């Protein structure tokens, strides 16, 4: 049996050496600049611009004619794949390799099929009688006939007719998306059983015995927004063959997991956990789901290695979130089913590198880093898993029989411990209990509203987090001390540059609910909790409040989620969902959501930097008018003389990036207000500041800023601020302004993002810039065909729309919008000019044909109603006494109608009445004025319409 490495190499060598294809490396699985895609999920992703005709004419991409490669693909979490299927059977994977050969306007069906047949039957020596091919059988609703050209190619190659099978649209017509390139495809299927039988009846029937191994797509159409298909100017071939399936066939196995792509990993799992070996069992035969666990872990660890190498790390949203789910699912199967010690998953990384490293050398460089990331994530998950399990056990014990699991508990597990929802469901299912999902969805919706900060957000909690006058007075007269919230500033930088937040313990002093102070609040209620001290940041100074949870000392298993935090008359009020009874006097430990806090710190320091950079670039009289900082983005309003220019936006970003690169220290200190007010160039908003007040200074220690003649605050950012900040600027990584507009005359608002989001915005901007550039070039190759120009004009419109609604650097958006506006004008002018030319030629020939008759009625080919109208206008200009009505039949079966009546014939003869009479005859509509009118109808009534047109005109003249 050939090893997998040899199978892959033979494929690449065959197309490269025998058929002159250019071999390209696999693209990374992190899609570049396509926000709609989580992962690269097919070989064709990187060639999309070629198929769409948007590849930059000068780019390397546009030079490709024949290409071969083996592409790393991940299908998980999108429409292509349900993670839960992986492991149940022997053929679903999250990561797989796609072997492909491509032709861009070079060869087509004949060569593509014959190369595929030659490779399978001569190089791989697969018995011909085990192969079946399918082709597109046509679709009358789309007006597409069967792909007989493809069928005949197969028959000429010697495939027996009983093995060449037609299939409908859903099996043999491939589409990239709702719009764009598409075309018929032909698939090659393999019969595992063989033995001379005819398995034609099992093709495409979901039988495990007869599987598809190769799909050859012939891109010859483009689906338009309106749903109709147009032929593509250039034909392309895009083929894809899953390496895992091919190796299964060539190694005479029935399961992908029995090939040498997986067996070394399965052996390593067995070595790492002891217990029974992998036996390839599925379904009920797989007692205790041990074999399923082997498959899940082997599949998932391959995906983790490939994704982490390509820069996708387990995280909190998008592809990162999907990868976190994959890692956690693998960890659960390791610990719960295989009873493996922690660390098993990371110990498999070297084996994966051994299996895949030759084909993808980038894996070799990163093995240690992959192992560290996997171990860190596993440890964090196992500890929250353990706590989650205890919380569920405990809640279940205290539940009334036959009731649903409380939604608040599930929500706090999900929101605070990052406990996967499917896992909560599974654990409850094992206990025969279900979750109150309606209540859970309600909580999720409220949370989403709060995060979006919409107008309806925040009303729910006001009553519990904003003390009324009487309660405030009562607290003071009872000598309840104001909350000490200095612990919110207690964090340091660890040796690896990670932030470490100090733990905080506190005592519940009072609870607040329904406008009154209470000593105790029952389970399932929401309330405001007042503590003696807290490390939670309350919403102030434009920075959003922290979220997180608290637990009672000694009761690790009950989480009280903290949903928002407010400051009221010196008291910090935590809005809490009481999962159990809470009482004044309870001792609690506080846990802030660190990822969210760190994101707010990053964005708050970024706001100061932005404020400094704007003043630096736009001049000293640029005053702050307001700002808002959340974990996702920052908003900053300021005085301005006029709109900010592209150059100024670029300069502002440059100033910020210089400070980030220098990794400046952020100095913070509390100082008496009178001292602070003396600082020259201090940035302060007109707010009532507390005394003493905090000063935040970038790169210059606060004591230097305070010396008498210091001008430090003129050269760097120094602000009065109670917010939480980074300790050094480097962690911000990047900042880009993604929006800028004038709120009212003289006040501008900018929105900016930092870190990974900024990087992503730049990547997307880069890709859109290339698309615009490519459009300009194609527009310069001036086309003389109106449909071609209209297509370009439509593309300009679509790009303009995408640009307006996508997060990209604002300077780039402005630049590209200017170019697109000019392109739109160029296209419109060109279309008008071409239409005038066409109309003039058509009018000329009609005049010659009908020379000086009082009425001209005729049919004429025209691409659009506006051209038809122009032909009519020009005829009447050239022969003022003539009235004209023209019909133009279209490919779609529609007939266009346009007419104009000579002024001499008014008021007896009306153009509008004429058009209505004619179009009614064709079951259509028309309208206009007495002089000019237009309409349309159905081709079936065209002959009758011509007669009607003539009779109507004769009756009026």
């Amino acid at each position: 049996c050939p090893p997998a490495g040899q199978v892959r190499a033979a494929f690449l060598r065959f197309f490269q050496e025998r058929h002159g294809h250019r071999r390209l490396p696999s693209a990374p699985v992190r899609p570049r600049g396509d926000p709609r895609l989580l992962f690269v999920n097919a070989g064709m992703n990187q060639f999309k611009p070629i198929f769409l005709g948007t590849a930059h004419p000068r780019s390397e991409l546009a030079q490709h004619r024949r290409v071969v490669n083996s592409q790393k693909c991940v299908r998980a979490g999108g429409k292509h794949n349900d993670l839960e299927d992986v492991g149940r059977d022997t053929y679903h994977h999250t990561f797989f390799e796609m072997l492909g050969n491509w032709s861009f306007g070079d060869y087509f069906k004949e060569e593509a099929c014959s190369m595929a047949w030659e490779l399978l039957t001569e190089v791989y020596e697969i018995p011909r009688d085990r192969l079946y091919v399918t082709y597109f059988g046509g679709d009358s609703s789309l007006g597409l006939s069967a792909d007989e050209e493809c069928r005949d190619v197969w028959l000429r190659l010697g495939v027996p007719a009983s093995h060449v099978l037609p299939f409908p649209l859903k099996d043999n017509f491939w589409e990239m998306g709702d719009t764009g390139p598409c075309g018929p495809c032909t698939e090659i299927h393999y019969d595992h059983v063989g033995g001379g039988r005819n398995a034609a009846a099992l093709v495409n029937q979901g039988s495990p015995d007869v599987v598809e191994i190769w799909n050859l797509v012939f891109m010859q159409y483009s689906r338009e927004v309106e749903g109709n298909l147009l032929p593509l100017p250039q034909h392309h071939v895009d083929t894809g063959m899953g390496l895992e399936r091919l190796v299964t066939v060539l190694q005479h196995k029935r399961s992908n997991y029995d090939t040498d792509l997986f067996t070394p990993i399965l052996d390593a799992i067995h070595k790492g956990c002891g217990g029974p070996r992998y036996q390839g069992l599925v379904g009920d035969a797989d007692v205790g789901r041990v074999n399923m666990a082997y498959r899940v872990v082997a599949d998932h660890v391959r995906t983790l290695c490939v994704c982490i190498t390509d820069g996708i790390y387990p995280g909190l949203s998008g592809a990162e979130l999907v990868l976190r789910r994959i890692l956690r699912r693998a960890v659960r199967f390791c610990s719960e089913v295989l009873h493996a010690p922690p660390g098993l998953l990371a110990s498999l990384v070297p084996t994966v590198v051994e299996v895949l490293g030759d084909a993808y050398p980038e894996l070799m460089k990163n093995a240690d880093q992959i192992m560290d990331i996997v171990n860190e994530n596993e440890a964090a998950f196992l500890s929250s898993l353990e706590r989650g399990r205890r919380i569920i056990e405990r809640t279940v014990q205290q539940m009334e029989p036959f009731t649903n699991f409380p939604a608040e508990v599930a929500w706090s597990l999900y929101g605070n411990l990052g406990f996967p929802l499917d896992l909560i469901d599974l654990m409850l299912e094992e206990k025969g209990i279900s979750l109150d999902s309606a209540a859970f969805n309600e909580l999720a919706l409220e949370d989403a509203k709060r995060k979006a900060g919409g107008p309806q957000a925040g009303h729910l909690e006001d009553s519990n987090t904003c003390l009324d006058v009487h309660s405030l007075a009562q607290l003071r007269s009872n000598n309840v001390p104001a909350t000490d919230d200095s612990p919110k500033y207690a964090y340091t930088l660890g040796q690896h540059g990670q932030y470490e937040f100090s733990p905080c313990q506190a005592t519940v002093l009072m609870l607040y609910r329904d406008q009154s102070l209470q000593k105790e609040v029952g389970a399932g209620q929401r309330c405001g909790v007042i503590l003696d001290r807290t490390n939670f940041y309350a919403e102030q100074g434009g920075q959003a409040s922290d979220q997180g949870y608290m637990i009672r000392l000694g009761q690790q298993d009950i989480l009280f989620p903290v949903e928002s935090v407010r400051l009221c008359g010196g008291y910090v009020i935590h809005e809490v969902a009481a999962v159990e009874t809470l009482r004044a006097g309870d001792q609690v430990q506080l846990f802030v959501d660190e990822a969210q806090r760190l994101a707010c710190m990053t964005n708050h320091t970024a706001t100061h930097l932005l404020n400094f950079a704007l003043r630096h670039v736009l001049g000293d009289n640029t005053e702050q008018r307001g700002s808002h900082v959340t974990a996702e983005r920052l908003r900053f309003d300021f005085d301005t003389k006029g709109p900010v220019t592209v150059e100024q936006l670029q300069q502002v970003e440059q100033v910020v990036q210089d400070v980030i690169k220098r990794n400046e220290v952020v100095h913070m200190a509390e100082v008496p207000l009178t001292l602070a007010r003396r600082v020259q160039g201090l940035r302060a908003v007109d707010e009532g500041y507390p005394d003493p007040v905090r000063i935040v200074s970038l790169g210059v220690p606060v004591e230097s800023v305070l010396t008498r003649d210091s001008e430090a605050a003129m050269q760097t950012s120094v602000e009065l601020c109670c917010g939480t900040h980074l300790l050094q600027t480097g962690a911000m990584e990047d900042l880009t302004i993604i929006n800028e507009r004038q709120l009212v005359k003289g006040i501008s608002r900018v929105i900016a993002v930092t870190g990974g989001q900024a990087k992503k915005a730049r990547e997307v901007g880069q890709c859109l810039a290339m698309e615009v550039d490519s459009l300009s070039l194609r527009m310069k190759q001036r086309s003389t065909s109106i449909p071609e120009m209209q297509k370009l004009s439509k593309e300009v419109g679509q790009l303009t729309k995408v640009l307006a609604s996508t997060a990209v650097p604002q300077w780039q958006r402005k630049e590209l919008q200017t170019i697109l506006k000019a392109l739109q004008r160029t296209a419109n002018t060109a279309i008008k000019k071409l239409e005038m030319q066409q109309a003039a030629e058509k009018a000329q020939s009609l005049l010659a044909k009908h020379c000086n008759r009082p009425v001209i009625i005729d049919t004429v080919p025209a691409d659009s109603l506006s051209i038809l109208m122009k032909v009519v206008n020009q005829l009447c200009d050239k022969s003022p006494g003539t009235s004209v009505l023209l019909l133009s039949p279209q490919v779609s079966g529609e007939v266009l109608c346009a007419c104009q009546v000579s002024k001499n014939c008014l008021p007896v003869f009306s153009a509008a009445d004429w058009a209505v009479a004619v179009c009614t005859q064709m079951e259509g509509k028309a309208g206009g004025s007495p002089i000019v009118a237009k309409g349309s109808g159905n081709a079936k009534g065209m002959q009758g319409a011509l007669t009607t047109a003539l009779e109507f005109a004769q009756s009026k003249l």
Side-chain angles (χ1 to χ4, degrees):
C1 289
Q6 224 170 295
V7 174
R8 188 193 296 109
F11 182 90
L12 298 169
R13 212 171 39 242
F14 172 81
F15 283 101
Q16 199 178 353
E17 292 172 9
R18 283 203 203 177
H19 295 287
H21 285 59
R22 178 158 177 208
R23 181 177 167 182
L24 291 182
S26 168
V29 290
R30 180 165 177 261
R32 271 197 59 79
D34 189 341
R36 294 173 296 278
L37 262 191
L38 289 172
F39 302 97
V40 165
N41 59 13
M44 53 75 59
N45 290 156
Q46 64 170 317
F47 303 120
K48 227 176 186 172
I50 306 182
F51 300 136
L52 292 168
T54 58
H56 195 304
R58 284 199 303 267
S59 68
E60 197 183 357
L61 205 53
Q63 314 313 316
H64 294 325
R65 287 295 163 263
R66 307 180 163 210
V67 166
V68 62
N69 78 348
S70 148
Q71 172 66 45
K72 301 177 287 191
C73 299
V74 173
R75 288 191 183 173
K79 68 178 170 88
H80 278 297
N81 184 301
D82 190 6
L83 200 50
E84 295 310 310
D85 285 341
V86 177
R88 280 178 207 229
D89 54 41
T90 59
Y91 49 86
H92 268 96
H93 300 291
T94 51
F95 164 74
F96 62 97
E97 297 176 65
M98 181 81 91
L99 302 171
N101 61 297
W102 319 80
S103 159
F104 306 114
D106 185 344
Y107 58 82
F108 206 43
K109 297 178 186 177
E110 177 92 41
E111 297 90 330
C113 295
S114 87
M115 287 182 220
W117 193 246
E118 179 189 353
L119 177 66
L120 293 179
T121 60
E122 292 173 25
V123 178
Y124 290 141
E125 298 180 346
I126 298 176
R128 293 159 189 254
D129 62 351
R130 289 195 177 208
L131 295 173
Y132 294 80
V133 296
T134 65
Y135 67 94
F136 177 51
D139 187 287
S140 51
S141 68
L142 283 173
L144 292 173
S145 53
D147 190 357
E148 289 169 3
E149 178 190 355
C150 173
R151 179 197 64 191
D152 295 345
V153 169
W154 288 119
L155 294 174
R156 281 202 299 280
L157 285 168
V159 185
S162 61
H163 284 224
V164 182
L165 316 165
F167 278 91
L169 199 72
K170 78 173 176 55
D171 295 306
N172 280 71
F173 196 86
W174 188 89
E175 309 219 21
M176 191 189 286
D178 302 330
T179 61
C182 54
C185 63
T186 180
E187 293 179 343
I188 304 171
H189 294 249
Y190 173 80
D191 175 16
H192 277 287
V193 177
R197 70 169 186 168
N198 185 332
L202 296 173
V203 172
N204 277 337
Q205 296 307 310
S207 155
D209 293 339
V210 180
V211 293
E212 173 217 332
I213 53 174
W214 203 345
N215 185 2
L216 286 64
V217 178
F218 305 123
M219 296 203 197
Q220 55 189 101
Y221 303 105
S222 167
R223 189 180 279 286
E224 300 301 293
V225 184
E226 299 75 31
N228 53 323
L229 293 174
L230 295 179
L232 277 176
Q234 259 202 329
H235 288 171
H236 306 301
V237 176
D238 155 6
T239 88
M241 171 155 60
L243 175 70
E244 293 76 7
R245 275 193 192 179
L246 175 64
V247 172
T248 304
V249 167
L250 297 180
Q251 295 182 355
H252 310 301
K253 304 289 192 222
R254 291 302 296 274
S255 151
N256 296 359
Y257 292 93
D258 294 339
T259 65
D260 63 343
L261 286 165
F262 289 93
T263 47
I265 305 172
L266 296 168
D267 291 343
I269 296 172
H270 176 248
K271 228 199 254 107
C273 68
R277 295 191 77 85
Y278 176 67
Q279 297 163 294
L281 303 171
V282 292
D284 296 336
D286 180 16
V287 181
R289 300 199 301 169
V290 172
N291 288 266
M292 175 173 177
Y294 266 101
R295 288 187 291 268
V296 166
V297 175
D299 171 89
H300 288 9
V301 74
R302 284 167 28 110
T303 306
L304 285 162
C305 289
V306 167
C307 288
I308 293 171
T309 295
D310 285 348
I312 301 175
Y313 302 141
L316 295 172
S317 64
E320 280 80 10
L321 180 61
V322 176
L323 197 63
R324 185 171 95 159
R325 282 181 53 204
I326 289 174
L327 182 131
R328 294 183 155 193
R329 188 166 181 256
V331 170
R332 276 188 51 225
F333 275 98
C334 281
S335 71
E336 293 176 15
V337 182
L338 298 173
H339 307 297
L344 171 69
L345 203 52
S347 75
L348 303 172
V349 171
T351 312
V352 177
V353 173
E354 226 166 280
V355 174
L356 294 173
D358 285 345
Y360 309 109
E362 58 273 20
L363 285 164
M364 310 260 204
K365 293 203 286 282
N366 289 317
D368 291 343
Q369 183 202 11
I370 300 171
M371 290 168 78
D372 289 345
I373 290 175
V374 169
N375 275 331
E376 264 167 48
N377 276 277
E378 177 179 58
F381 180 51
L382 284 173
S383 78
S384 67
L385 202 59
E386 197 33 58
R387 291 189 58 191
R389 199 174 277 115
R390 289 204 305 268
I391 290 169
I392 289 178
E393 294 286 343
R394 190 158 188 253
T395 311
V396 169
Q397 280 165 14
Q398 297 182 339
M399 277 166 52
E400 300 286 320
F402 311 116
T403 53
N404 281 343
F405 191 81
E408 301 78 53
V409 179
W411 177 252
S412 80
L413 281 172
Y414 172 67
N416 302 125
L417 289 185
F419 212 74
L421 270 184
D422 50 341
L423 184 48
I424 298 175
D425 283 336
L426 269 175
M427 291 172 115
L428 292 179
E429 201 179 302
E430 285 160 14
K431 301 188 180 329
I433 294 170
S434 56
L435 172 63
D436 180 351
S437 27
F440 183 91
N441 292 340
E442 185 103 340
L443 290 170
L445 202 68
E446 252 171 57
D447 183 66
K449 275 184 188 163
R450 189 175 18 249
K451 280 203 172 85
Q456 58 296 49
H459 289 328
L460 301 162
E461 53 267 21
D462 278 5
S463 58
N464 293 333
T465 51
C466 215
L467 296 172
D468 62 296
V469 182
H470 305 296
S471 301
L472 259 174
Q474 195 183 329
L475 284 170
R476 290 192 177 124
S477 68
N478 292 353
N479 292 325
V480 175
T483 315
D484 167 17
D485 64 352
S486 61
K488 69 186 177 193
Y489 300 123
Y491 48 89
T492 54
L493 269 177
Q495 61 194 76
H496 300 302
Q498 77 288 13
Y499 278 78
E500 291 171 356
F501 296 87
S502 308
C504 180
Q505 277 189 22
T507 307
V508 177
L509 299 181
M510 194 58 82
L511 303 162
Y512 181 71
R513 179 177 161 72
D514 299 335
Q515 306 264 300
S516 74
L517 296 168
Q518 303 179 1
K519 291 269 188 200
E520 144 171 346
V521 167
Q525 313 262 19
R526 289 197 158 192
C527 63
V529 178
I530 300 171
L531 304 168
D532 59 340
R533 58 200 302 266
T534 182
N535 59 348
F536 275 80
Y537 184 86
E539 177 152 2
Q540 55 180 324
Q543 179 179 326
S545 83
D546 281 337
Q547 290 177 316
Y549 62 95
M550 51 178 78
I551 58 174
R552 272 205 206 97
L553 282 192
Q555 279 189 327
Q556 297 292 315
D557 306 346
I558 306 167
L559 270 65
F560 296 92
V562 176
E563 286 167 11
S564 67
V565 190
R566 285 265 187 101
L567 189 62
C568 229
Y571 297 103
V572 175
I573 322 282
H574 305 73
E575 192 210 350
V576 167
V579 185
E580 292 206 349
T581 307
L582 260 178
R583 299 180 179 83
D586 281 348
Q587 301 282 306
V588 291
Q589 192 162 2
L590 307 178
F591 295 89
V592 168
D593 178 336
E594 295 180 5
Q596 191 221 2
R597 158 70 83 87
L598 187 55
C600 284
M601 284 160 48
T602 305
N603 287 344
H604 204 146
T605 304
T607 306
H608 284 213
L609 252 174
L610 185 63
N611 188 357
F612 167 69
L614 283 164
R615 190 174 87 216
H616 186 80
V617 172
L618 301 178
D620 273 346
N621 45 12
T622 311
E623 287 295 337
Q624 174 174 347
R625 284 287 171 185
S627 72
H628 190 58
V629 175
T630 66
E632 288 77 39
R633 54 185 0 186
L634 57 111
R635 189 189 82 212
F636 191 80
D637 301 345
F638 58 97
D639 289 342
T640 158
K641 294 276 177 287
V644 190
T645 67
V646 167
E647 289 73 21
Q648 289 170 330
L649 286 166
Q650 284 173 311
Q651 286 168 337
V652 167
E653 285 187 10
Q654 196 50 59
V655 172
V656 173
Q657 277 161 347
D658 292 344
V659 182
I660 293 175
K661 271 201 201 79
R662 291 202 301 270
N663 199 13
E664 298 275 16
V665 175
V666 181
H667 298 275
M668 290 170 268
E670 295 220 326
V671 300
L673 194 56
T674 47
L675 268 183
R677 291 257 185 235
R678 273 201 242 140
V679 175
Q680 297 184 50
L682 177 79
R683 312 301 281 165
V685 193
D686 305 326
E687 280 183 15
Y689 284 98
D691 192 4
V693 67
R694 268 175 86 78
I695 286 191
V696 179
S697 164
L698 287 189
V700 180
V702 175
E703 34 294 8
S704 319
V705 171
L706 293 174
T707 54
R708 269 216 174 272
D709 303 320
S710 164
E711 294 199 350
M714 315 287 265
Q715 268 80 53
T716 183
S717 159
V718 180
E719 297 196 28
L720 300 184
C721 177
C722 59
T724 57
H725 286 270
L726 292 176
L727 300 173
Q728 289 184 281
T729 56
M732 204 179 300
E733 290 172 13
D734 191 4
L735 172 141
T736 183
I737 294 170
I738 54 169
N739 206 312
E740 182 270 331
R741 63 189 178 94
Q742 288 211 292
L743 284 183
V744 291
K745 198 167 166 42
I747 294 186
S748 262
R749 164 168 292 179
V750 296
I751 289 172
V753 290
T754 55
Q757 280 178 290
K759 182 177 170 187
K760 193 168 167 190
R762 287 189 198 285
E763 272 185 14
V764 174
Q766 228 35 75
C767 291
L768 287 174
M770 277 170 64
E771 284 187 40
V772 171
D773 205 15
S774 149
L775 250 182
S776 317
L777 271 163
R778 285 180 292 141
M779 196 82 93
K780 283 198 186 87
Q781 303 160 351
R782 271 296 166 63
S783 159
T784 49
S785 104
I786 292 176
E788 187 63 22
M789 265 337 260
Q790 280 168 332
K791 178 177 174 284
L792 285 173
S793 161
K794 198 157 146 197
E795 268 186 61
V796 173
Q798 283 166 344
L799 254 181
T800 306
K801 249 197 180 129
V802 170
L803 193 59
S805 60
T806 310
V808 297
Q810 176 70 7
W811 62 264
Q812 195 167 28
R813 180 183 286 116
K814 283 187 152 180
E815 253 179 17
L816 297 178
Q817 279 171 334
T818 310
I819 298 171
L820 286 170
K821 263 193 195 128
L823 288 180
Q824 194 66 73
R825 278 199 301 274
T826 309
N828 293 348
T829 317
I831 290 170
K832 245 196 205 116
K833 207 164 137 192
L834 288 170
E835 288 187 347
M836 290 304 265
Q837 278 171 354
Q838 274 195 23
E841 288 160 18
K842 290 183 171 142
Q844 208 49 56
S845 64
L846 281 167
L847 258 184
K849 177 176 168 189
H850 294 279
C851 99
N852 292 350
R853 288 199 203 139
V855 177
I856 296 177
I857 295 168
D858 209 336
T859 62
V860 60
D863 284 332
S864 67
L865 195 50
S866 75
I867 297 180
L868 192 63
M869 204 69 225
K870 288 188 175 87
V871 180
V872 171
N873 300 150
Q874 298 215 19
L875 268 173
C876 292
D877 288 349
K878 292 192 165 100
S879 168
T882 307
S883 298
V884 180
L885 182 142
L886 298 179
L887 297 182
S888 176
Q890 303 294 300
V891 199
S892 59
E894 187 186 29
V895 175
L896 306 177
C897 166
C899 64
Q900 181 170 342
V901 169
S902 161
K903 288 201 177 64
N904 317 344
C905 307
L906 297 170
V908 182
F909 193 1
S910 146
D913 296 348
W914 198 12
V916 168
V918 170
C919 291
T920 309
Q921 181 68 38
M922 301 187 289
E923 300 172 351
K925 288 195 179 77
S929 69
I931 298 183
V932 289
K934 58 187 177 190
S936 65
N938 198 314
K940 288 200 287 284
M942 192 163 94
Q943 281 326 105
L946 288 167
T947 319
T948 306
L950 190 58
E951 288 168 358
F952 186 94
Q954 284 168 340
S955 71
K956 299 294 181 195
L957 294 173

